[in-house]
Amino acid sequence: RWLNIKQDRRKEIGAVIDFLEFSDAYAGDKVALLAASFGATFVSPNILVAEERIRTAIMMSATLAGVDTKAFPDIVNPNTYWPEVRQPILLLNGRYDISTHQLESRKALLELLGTADESKQGIVYESSHWPLPPHRVEQDVSHWLDEHLGPVE
């Protein structure tokens, strides 16, 4: 079941990017993935590995997944995919996240990423898991996207 869900999400993302690439209204070569919480932790790693047309990603409130490796084989364990991710990654987290191991897990996730060191960054806000401070997030995400996809014209 988990494998089917992961495959369906990957196909859906691919179809959206196909549309963007062939549309005159969008810059299909400047695609970023923005994901939060469950989507950032459990869904994004597989998508980023499979979909190289995503040029950068912003992960909000993401950590390594707390997965029972006996119950979830590697093919559905999201932690299996992080070392294969190569896109620039911005990781945004709150210092007071509900998960007590969150900051250690965030650091471990940054280290596990296959992304080059100069293309990954983590920012910790004085907040909880959600919401992250909207004005700061907007500024940090805009700066990241300008840097990695170019400024919006």
Side-chain angles (χ1 to χ4, degrees):
R1 172 175 150 92
W2 278 102
L3 182 57
N4 290 341
I5 291 170
K6 287 177 90 65
Q7 290 170 334
D8 288 346
R9 287 188 175 143
R10 204 171 55 223
K11 288 177 193 173
E12 290 167 359
I13 293 287
V16 169
I17 296 172
D18 289 344
F19 170 78
L20 295 173
E21 283 184 324
F22 294 106
S23 171
D24 294 334
Y26 301 100
D29 63 332
K30 294 184 176 188
V31 176
L33 176 66
L34 174 69
S37 195
F38 181 87
T41 299
F42 286 91
V43 179
S44 297
N46 178 307
I47 289 172
L48 290 168
V49 169
E51 191 50 77
E52 295 176 358
R53 296 177 293 175
I54 297 173
R55 293 193 28 216
T56 188
I58 298 98
M59 304 286 110
M60 299 190 302
S61 299
T63 65
L64 290 176
V67 174
D68 178 356
T69 55
K70 294 176 184 155
F72 289 90
D74 283 350
I75 196 164
V76 294
N77 180 345
N79 298 335
T80 302
Y81 295 93
W82 288 120
E84 303 303 318
V85 171
R86 301 287 184 253
Q87 293 94 330
I89 300 286
L90 176 62
L91 190 58
L92 307 176
N93 294 90
R95 180 175 315 281
Y96 307 107
D97 198 306
I98 55 175
S99 172
T100 57
H101 73 285
Q102 195 275 339
L103 288 179
E104 294 81 16
S105 179
R106 178 194 62 83
K107 182 179 177 188
L109 173 55
L110 278 171
E111 291 174 3
L112 186 62
L113 279 167
T115 303
D117 286 343
E118 64 274 5
S119 295
K120 54 187 172 182
Q121 179 183 356
I123 299 175
V124 178
Y125 302 109
E126 296 298 317
S127 68
S128 186
H129 181 77
W130 199 259
L132 298 176
H135 292 72
R136 291 277 317 280
V137 169
E138 181 181 345
Q139 291 172 347
D140 293 334
V141 168
S142 292
H143 175 74
W144 183 264
L145 292 176
D146 285 349
E147 185 177 322
H148 293 279
L149 299 180
V152 176
E153 298 175 11

